[in-house]
Amino acid sequence: MIFEFVIFLSIGAAAGLLAGMFGVGGGVLVVPFLQRCGVDMRKAIGSSAAFTVPVAIGGVIGYIIAGWNNPQLPNYCLGFIYLQP
């Protein structure tokens, strides 16, 4: 059980790293992997699409932290996220 978790975590991290390096969505790498593991294609696509929400939330948090207290940003900014009034 722990071994499977480590394998899937490693594959997910590698897919995220490669997707980030190549500038493509992670689904390009995750869907073929899930299909190879025997997951039905519709479920693989749905699972891949469902993971875009946590990835986007993580990106927003990263931009907020990276730009926190940057004096060069205009008003109405939360980190590097511009909140238009």
Side-chain angles (χ1 to χ4, degrees), residues 53-63:
V53 173
V55 169
I57 291 170
V60 167
I61 292 170
Y63 273 102

Side-chain angles (χ1 to χ4, degrees), residues 3-85:
F3 179 72
E4 290 175 349
F5 176 75
V6 171
I7 293 293
F8 286 123
L9 184 65
S10 300
I11 290 171
L17 179 67
L18 288 172
M21 286 173 50
F22 295 125
V24 298
V28 172
L29 303 169
V30 173
V31 171
F33 171 73
L34 290 175
Q35 186 181 16
R36 187 170 178 100
C37 288
V39 177
D40 180 52
M41 182 59 100
R42 291 181 185 187
K43 290 183 180 180
I45 292 170
S47 298
S48 175
F51 283 113
T52 59
V53 173
V55 169
I57 291 170
V60 167
I61 292 170
Y63 273 102
I64 290 171
I65 292 170
W68 197 257
N69 291 329
N70 186 334
Q72 297 176 340
L73 294 175
N75 292 333
Y76 305 110
C77 283
L78 183 61
F80 288 124
I81 307 295
Y82 181 67
L83 305 171
Q84 188 174 355

